[in-house]
Amino acid sequence: MKKTIEEHAARFDDHAGAYDEQQPENEEYRACVSLVIDHAAPEPSDTVLDLGTGTGAIGLSLAADAARVVGRDISDGMMDQAREKAAAHDIENVAFGTGTFREPNYDGPVDIVVSNFALHHLSDDEKRAAIKTIAALGPQRFVLGDVMFFDTPDPDEPYYDPEVDDPSTVGVLADALTDAGFSLTAVERIHEQVGVLVAERTTRSEE
């Protein structure tokens, strides 16, 4: 991680109020959100854990189809936006709280984990540790939308600022998921530097 958790949290706090207004301009981001939602596909009995939930775009979209959605983020400002949206739409089966990828601050049942545009702030080793933590929660499916490299990294292309971002190659992410006991079932390439990975397993973790 190139900046501390506190520095990242403060940066997102500063942008929380305008964050949702900025996203319609980003075609790749919107495509990523749509694909993460489509691949998550929760059943009515499922609990979904949304890591790096931000303003809750994905978690709130999944709430109608899931039994429960738990959102975790490091930014209080972003989660305040998520809570306001949940209240405005009378969505009651969601709960937002502070948590990170490596310390999600949640020990309840998890059927599906989703994350969008958040994991890329961690280094390769930190991502491996985060994916192991996620696997230990016992989900059957992990859907990751993020900045990731399908080709040679290019800071002049969108979604990659070397000062704050630390994306991995698709290969590194695939290996980390496999090592944690998942099978990669789908790879969606949205942009040379943006994609969605879907990882599943046929037996629930006993960890």
Side-chain angles (χ1 to χ4, degrees), residues 21-170:
E21 296 177 2
Q22 296 168 349
Q23 299 318 310
E25 302 175 3
N26 300 330
E27 180 179 350
E28 292 85 1
Y29 177 88
R30 288 186 287 109
C32 209
V33 169
S34 179
L35 284 168
V36 170
I37 292 170
D38 288 347
H39 281 292
E43 298 291 334
S45 61
D46 285 341
T47 295
V48 178
L49 176 61
D50 183 7
L51 293 174
T53 190
T55 61
I58 289 175
L60 293 173
S61 294
L62 295 174
D65 297 320
R68 186 182 185 213
V69 174
V70 177
R72 290 290 183 263
D73 204 279
I74 61 173
S75 167
D76 290 332
M78 298 288 269
M79 285 188 291
D80 285 345
Q81 296 291 317
R83 293 186 184 103
E84 289 179 12
K85 288 193 289 185
H89 292 88
D90 295 321
I91 301 173
E92 297 181 349
N93 62 330
V94 297
F96 298 102
T98 302
T100 69
F101 285 103
R102 289 168 291 170
E103 296 182 5
N105 191 28
Y106 178 73
D107 58 4
V110 181
D111 299 288
I112 300 166
V113 175
V114 296
S115 183
N116 192 59
F117 272 61
L119 190 65
H120 67 274
H121 295 299
L122 304 186
S123 68
D124 285 356
D125 286 344
E126 290 168 336
K127 289 187 188 75
R128 292 186 186 96
I131 290 171
K132 286 182 179 179
T133 297
I134 290 167
L137 296 172
Q140 297 299 102
R141 185 179 308 125
F142 177 26
V143 185
L144 173 65
D146 208 354
V147 183
M148 58 185 71
F149 297 134
F150 287 87
D151 206 337
T152 303
D154 186 352
D156 292 329
E157 287 291 313
Y159 309 109
Y160 174 37
D161 180 352
E163 290 188 5
V164 294
D165 301 324
D166 200 359
S168 299
T169 65
V170 174

